[in-house]
Structure formats: C-alpha cells, structure tokens
Amino acid sequence: MSGEHKSLGHIRLTSHSGGVDAPPIHWGAPTAAERGPVIGTTGVRAHRNVIGTHSGSYSVYRALAVAAGALARDHRADLTNTSPTDHIGPYPQWGDPKAIVSLDPWGATVAESFPDKIAAGYDIRPTIAVTKAHVILPEIAEAIEKGRLVPDGKLLLPSGAALVTKAAVEPVWHLPGVAERFGCSEAELRRVLFEETGGMYPELVTRSDLEVFLPPIGGQTVYVFGDARDLADPTVELTARVHDECNGSDVFGSDICTCRPYLTHAIEECIRGTQRGGVGLVAYSRKEGRALGEVTKFLVYNARKRQEGGDTADQYFARTECVAGVQDMRFQELMPDVLHWFGITKIHRLVSMSNMKYDAITGSGIEVGERVNIPDELVPADARVEIDAKMAAGYFTPGPVPDAEALRKVKGRGLE
Ligand SMILES: [Zn+2]
C-alpha cells in the first residue's frame, strides 16, 4: 500500500471505551499494544469494545447451545497449544487503517499480543487460526496420472496429497473503513445494517463510540502452498486465486457453473508454481451464490431453465436480477484485505477471469501480472451459458469476446 501510510491520521484517538473497563481500539495503529485487543465476549459486558459477538454466523449456534443448556454462558476457551503453526506478519499493511478494514490483523496472535490483558481477566479470543493440512483431490491425482504434475515428496506426495498451511479468518469490521470502501457515510452504513438485520444490533445506531463490528456472516479460509512468508516477497512468483463459495459445484459437482473446475485448476497451478520455487494461495470466501444465498440461486436456475427460449447466455444476468434485484452481491471491496494480511504486494499469476476481483485487487495497491483463464476443456457443457455471459460482461478472456448474436446461441440444458 505504497503512498497510503499517510492515512494514519484517520485513527480516532478520541474514541471512548466501550464498557467501563473496556480497552479502547485504535484501528490501524502500528503495534498490537497501541491498537488494543478486540473484545467481543458476552461473559463480562463491561469489557466489550465491539458490537456483535465472535464466530460470525456461528454466534447464533452458540446462542442456541446456551439456550439448550449445553454450553455454560461463562465458558472460557482453553487456548493451550492452539497458536499458529506458521509465523505471519506483522507487515506494514497492518499499521495502515485503510489497507485492512474487515479482519483483525492481530487476530491470530492474541496470546502473545495481549498477555497482560489476558492475565488481568479479559476474555480475548482469536479471530484467526492457522494450521497445517494435507489436501487430497481427485483432480490433482488425475493431473499426476496424466503427467501434468510430478510428486516431489515435499509439497506433493506420491499419494496425491498436497501439503498446505491454512488459515481461517473471521470478519472483524472497522465501520468507518468499511463505509469508506462502499462510498457511503458511516452513519448511513450503521443505520442500514441495523434496519436490514431487523434491528439485530441496536448498538449500531446507539453507540457511535464503538467502531468495530463482528458481523454475523461467514468468513474466509486461505490455503497456502509453500512457505507463507514468501507471500510478502514480491520477488517470489505468487500464483493466487480468490474464490467465492459455490456449494453446488465446489462440493457436489453440479455442472451448471465453472466453480469447482476453476478452483481445482487453480490448486494445480498453485502446486506447479510452488514447485518452480514460487508460492501459491487460494482464498475461499463464504459468499454462497454471489452472496445471494442458495435459495435465491436455485430460484434463478429454475427461472433460467423455464424461460421462453430456454437457458441462453444473453438472458443470464437478467434472470438473476429479476429474482434478486441485483446481478451480484459479492462486492469484492473487502476481499483484498486478507491478501494485505499476508503482506502481499504482487500477484504474478492471478487465476481468475473476474474483472471485479481484478479491479478490487489492483485498486487496493497490489500489482497483478498475468491473468490465468479456465482452460476451455474444463468448462462443463451446461456452464457455457455462465462463462460466455460473464466474458461478454467484462470478464477477462485471452480469446474472442462473444457478441450479442453469439450469446443468444449459447444454450444450456432444460430442467428435464
Ligand atoms: Zn458455481
């Protein structure tokens, strides 16, 4: 984020503390001690310095567990041996209040960042966890079988397992920064969040001194191939994909879109890039069905398949807009934050055709080299409608952009 460090002046040092004993949060301060801990516990209300509670959408399940008598309200997590497996940061972006507005950069290291406060009885919880995994995908096994990938015994085992570091990230929103990203006032953002959640968090409108909100939404998971520290080194080739959740394709193999084949292609590219001496990253955001949700998505599928003339690429966006009111609610404005958390300044190979993702990433100050499209042979027949409509709407393609006449001819399967 070269040139943006001047924005440190944005910190509101006059913030009041939340409860009587709540430490203040100075968002974007350069050290954890100056920034202060994020405290979303419901155990000691006077310690709270945020709106909302931990665990994103799972906060509701926590409430159910308390209601059912299965969970003690005052349960405190025993965090023995839970610290990150990899050392990440701090990076200069962590001290830039505009570079990161939707996650807590110190969220993985609360134990080492705030030992005195924890010893004094504050319930400070991690909002980021970092661990190791072996990932085994049939597409990667097939790539080995066909000779596109060669196991090296370190990153890729002969069994087909790829060794990764992965991080789970919960949303932590600095409301002034989020409002700025979306081009609205903080007051307006607070009022609309309050109203459109049915009045779920009154503090949004009654406590303007609390600037941090833990929203009840899904977070992100990041898979890193190679050494996570290399992500911050612009001289190390970085292959990256930012992927939005699509349960139907990602998990169940539904063939109406390109989500899983593009995801597994990205993983293959990440492994190959890392074997060349680079590093790879896949960031997976819980934004099902363009953040419209799966019910809306399935309604759109039916509307597409049943419309007069059948499912054609020229009506692809129109059908979504008829049902949802918008074409897309993923709004990539907050997505680059996780890249800045890893200290990324350059992506050499971006495995995405989305112009919205590209614009958000480059607009946030990260340089992007090559853009890698999904190979044609990986596009399922019924997904041609989607990918052609997207290319016509501005998605990156190295080939010809389909015109209106071509879009009318691209047709998907019927419902029966
Ligand atoms: Zn999909």
Side-chain angles (χ1 to χ4, degrees):
M1 298 299 292
S2 54
E4 292 213 18
H5 295 273
K6 61 183 184 302
S7 55
L8 277 175
H10 188 69
I11 304 170
R12 297 182 183 189
L13 294 171
T14 53
S15 300
H16 306 291
S17 50
V20 283
D21 292 319
I25 296 173
H26 302 303
W27 194 266
T31 65
E34 291 166 86
R35 209 291 307 275
V38 166
I39 304 176
T41 178
T42 52
V44 183
R45 296 221 153 230
H47 290 176
R48 289 171 52 78
N49 60 8
V50 300
I51 303 164
T53 59
H54 285 290
S55 306
S57 54
Y58 298 103
S59 60
V60 179
Y61 282 102
R62 189 180 178 282
L64 280 179
V66 172
L71 175 64
R73 207 168 216 157
D74 58 356
H75 171 76
R76 290 282 285 267
D78 175 358
L79 296 173
T80 308
N81 290 332
T82 62
S83 63
T85 53
D86 289 58
H87 201 80
I88 293 160
Y91 294 112
Q93 292 95 322
W94 295 21
D96 178 344
K98 296 197 181 195
I100 296 175
V101 302
S102 63
L103 60 86
D104 176 6
W106 308 98
T109 52
V110 296
E112 58 197 72
S113 295
F114 309 108
D116 298 349
K117 284 275 185 298
I118 290 170
Y122 288 87
D123 180 13
I124 304 170
R125 296 190 208 169
T127 55
I128 300 177
V130 183
T131 188
K132 297 279 193 192
H134 288 199
V135 293
I136 302 173
L137 291 161
E139 288 87 344
I140 297 304
E142 191 192 309
I144 294 173
E145 207 174 286
K146 294 195 169 158
R148 297 198 307 269
L149 284 175
V150 181
D152 53 41
K154 268 175 72 189
L155 172 72
L156 183 62
L157 305 183
S159 65
L163 277 55
V164 298
T165 297
K166 60 179 181 179
V169 182
E170 285 174 10
V172 178
W173 286 9
H174 183 235
L175 291 168
V178 172
E180 197 175 320
R181 293 270 179 99
F182 285 88
C184 62
S185 72
E186 184 188 340
E188 183 160 16
L189 175 68
R190 285 171 175 267
R191 187 173 55 82
V192 174
L193 282 172
F194 171 68
E195 288 175 352
E196 295 302 319
T197 55
M200 198 170 185
Y201 299 101
E203 294 98 329
L204 284 167
V205 287
T206 61
R207 294 290 305 273
S208 60
D209 58 309
L210 296 176
E211 293 191 328
V212 174
F213 176 41
L214 307 183
I217 60 173
Q220 289 173 305
T221 312
V222 185
Y223 284 78
V224 178
F225 301 81
D227 188 338
R229 280 170 302 194
D230 285 341
L231 292 166
D233 183 348
T235 67
V236 176
E237 180 191 321
L238 168 56
T239 304
R241 173 165 175 79
V242 284
H243 186 93
D244 292 323
E245 175 181 31
C246 172
N247 186 267
S249 171
D250 292 344
V251 178
F252 287 95
S254 170
D255 70 348
I256 196 168
C257 55
T258 57
C259 299
R260 181 179 171 103
Y262 214 167
L263 178 63
T264 57
H265 179 64
I267 291 170
E268 185 177 330
E269 290 284 349
C270 283
I271 293 171
R272 210 164 15 244
T274 306
Q275 288 181 327
R276 284 196 291 268
V279 61
L281 172 144
V282 175
Y284 189 96
S285 295
R286 297 300 175 330
K287 291 188 202 164
E288 176 60 55
R290 295 191 205 151
L292 302 167
E294 219 173 24
V295 168
T296 298
K297 180 168 159 175
F298 290 4
L299 296 174
V300 171
Y301 289 160
N302 281 347
R304 279 172 53 187
K305 303 272 182 201
R306 285 182 179 141
Q307 69 189 322
E308 203 176 323
D311 182 18
T312 55
D314 66 326
Q315 294 299 313
Y316 173 78
F317 285 110
R319 289 284 75 76
T320 305
E321 206 165 346
C322 282
V323 178
V326 293
Q327 293 180 358
D328 199 314
M329 288 206 298
R330 285 176 291 178
F331 299 115
Q332 301 295 345
E333 279 80 355
L334 304 177
M335 172 271 288
D337 286 14
V338 76
L339 307 176
H340 292 294
W341 183 63
F342 281 104
I344 291 171
T345 57
K346 180 171 182 180
I347 295 172
H348 301 69
R349 306 186 74 232
L350 178 64
V351 189
S352 169
M353 291 156 73
S354 165
N355 51 328
M356 288 165 282
K357 290 175 183 169
Y358 176 84
D359 291 346
I361 292 169
T362 55
S364 79
I366 294 173
E367 187 189 336
V368 172
E370 187 190 351
R371 293 160 83 179
V372 182
N373 62 304
I374 184 171
D376 253 357
E377 63 271 21
L378 293 184
V379 178
D382 201 41
R384 204 68 247 178
V385 171
E386 178 209 87
I387 200 75
D388 283 12
K390 284 179 170 178
M391 288 190 309
Y395 268 48
F396 166 76
T397 170
V401 176
D403 61 13
E405 177 60 26
L407 289 185
R408 270 192 295 278
K409 288 182 184 153
V410 178
K411 199 164 174 177
R413 204 174 45 233
L415 275 177
E416 302 309 324

